[in-house]
Amino acid sequence: GVDSDRDFGQQGGGGGFAWVLQEGNPLLHPETANTWTAGFVMTSPFQHPLASGMMLAFDWYNIEIEDAIMTFSIDFANFRCFGQVGDPVGIANSPECQLVPRDQNNGAALSTKLSYDNQAWIKTKGYDIMYNWHFDIAALGIDIPGSFNVNLKATVLDTYMTRQSPAVYDVPIEWVGSLGPNLPGTQGGAYDYRLFGTFTYDNPKHNYSVSLRWRHLPEVWTAGYAEQQALIANNAAVAAGGSGITLGYTPTTQIETESYNIFDLSANWDITDNFSLRGGIT
């Protein structure tokens, strides 16, 4: 009677909660990466005061990380236990099933323990561009001392794909255009591109400078959107006769954040050799 009351109370308490724990793996081996980079730097060939201070730099990269160290997905941890075939008692007592224990009274999931393995891969490719232009204000025919500097940087992301494991249910995910990736060991924010600019006026005669910094981020989807699109693409490929299995998921409404700009204004004045004044507006 006591056990029945406890079962009923736990089952009727609404959605349960189980911790996800992590443990190390002393059998890990190093990740391997194939990294290709290429680029150039070009300075202005012109002698005109307005054009002599221009510089353009371009860098391209292509990185593939194999045997990436990452924690198991919860699906993989469950599969290591429930995907076994054989004696049920022996399976239940196996090390794999000990990591995904169940409440013996009602079968509810308890704390899942995840470990690390060399089973993931990461592939990313893109390019960076930087343009710098420096000239004296006098070159414009204006009687104003000092110089002006423009620095523009752009980073463009062609692809950023990850796969947490080779299992059929851990499908490759393309994160470009989203706030992902959200896998352990990765950093989020896979924007299609990013822009960064700095415009500086420097007056050495009166020992002051003024800078305007500009940051632009394009519209971006949530990381959940990228995961959902990967599942949709997988199921469409399977339906068309491809390999793999159809994966179930709960469709959710995802929001695309609009693009936005950030401007920061700063100034610096060296009043004396030992005293400077600075300020800014963010």
Side-chain angles (χ1 to χ4, degrees):
V2 174
D3 288 341
S4 298
D5 292 341
R6 182 171 61 177
D7 292 347
F8 178 80
Q10 289 185 353
Q11 292 174 355
F17 177 80
W19 291 100
V20 176
L21 308 177
Q22 297 181 7
E23 68 175 5
N25 179 4
L27 302 179
L28 292 174
H29 56 271
E31 301 173 330
T32 57
N34 294 320
T35 302
W36 296 87
T37 59
F40 65 85
V41 177
M42 182 175 64
T43 57
S44 175
F46 307 108
Q47 298 300 318
H48 191 279
L50 280 178
S52 61
M54 292 190 295
M55 186 270 290
L56 177 66
F58 178 89
D59 290 289
W60 168 85
Y61 62 88
N62 187 337
I63 303 171
E64 297 184 3
I65 303 177
E66 302 291 342
D67 301 323
I69 298 173
M70 197 172 294
T71 55
F72 299 153
S73 67
I74 295 180
D75 287 336
F76 184 76
N78 288 329
F79 178 77
R80 292 174 71 223
C81 172
F82 304 118
Q84 298 185 58
V85 177
D87 173 45
V89 176
I91 293 174
N93 292 322
S94 67
E96 292 79 10
C97 286
Q98 295 302 309
L99 300 182
V100 286
R102 295 278 179 168
D103 189 297
Q104 297 184 13
N105 297 296
N106 55 35
L110 300 176
S111 298
T112 300
K113 185 176 291 186
L114 304 180
S115 186
Y116 293 83
D117 205 346
N118 295 94
Q119 58 181 350
W121 56 253
I122 300 173
K123 299 178 181 180
T124 184
K125 180 171 60 175
Y127 54 91
D128 301 321
I129 304 173
M130 185 183 74
Y131 171 76
N132 196 79
W133 180 27
H134 180 86
F135 61 89
D136 292 331
I137 302 296
L140 297 173
I142 303 175
D143 188 18
I144 297 178
S147 61
F148 191 72
N149 192 84
V150 177
N151 183 269
L152 298 174
K153 299 176 183 176
T155 179
V156 180
L157 191 60
D158 284 337
T159 183
Y160 193 148
M161 295 189 69
T162 66
R163 188 168 188 176
Q164 196 164 2
S165 83
V168 292
Y169 41 76
D170 284 335
V171 298
I173 302 176
E174 174 60 83
W175 300 101
V176 171
S178 78
L179 291 174
N182 55 8
L183 301 179
T186 61
Q187 295 182 343
Y191 293 88
D192 289 308
Y193 64 91
R194 302 186 192 207
L195 300 178
F196 188 93
T198 305
F199 310 88
T200 303
Y201 169 68
D202 182 59
N203 189 321
K205 181 178 180 180
H206 296 95
N207 301 320
Y208 74 87
S209 63
V210 179
S211 294
L212 177 66
R213 185 173 65 176
W214 166 56
R215 289 173 286 172
H216 173 81
L217 293 176
E219 60 276 356
V220 65
W221 289 96
T222 61
Y225 175 83
E227 293 176 311
Q228 189 165 281
Q229 293 304 305
L231 293 174
I232 293 174
N234 172 81
N235 292 347
V238 173
S243 60
I245 60 174
T246 300
L247 299 172
Y249 67 96
T250 302
T252 57
T253 300
Q254 303 294 330
I255 298 175
E256 185 180 29
T257 302
E258 295 182 357
S259 63
Y260 66 97
N261 299 281
I262 301 174
F263 295 93
D264 304 317
L265 181 66
S266 63
N268 188 83
W269 179 26
D270 294 329
I271 300 176
T272 68
D273 291 339
N274 300 316
F275 185 73
S276 297
L277 183 67
R278 60 182 174 82
I281 301 175
T282 301

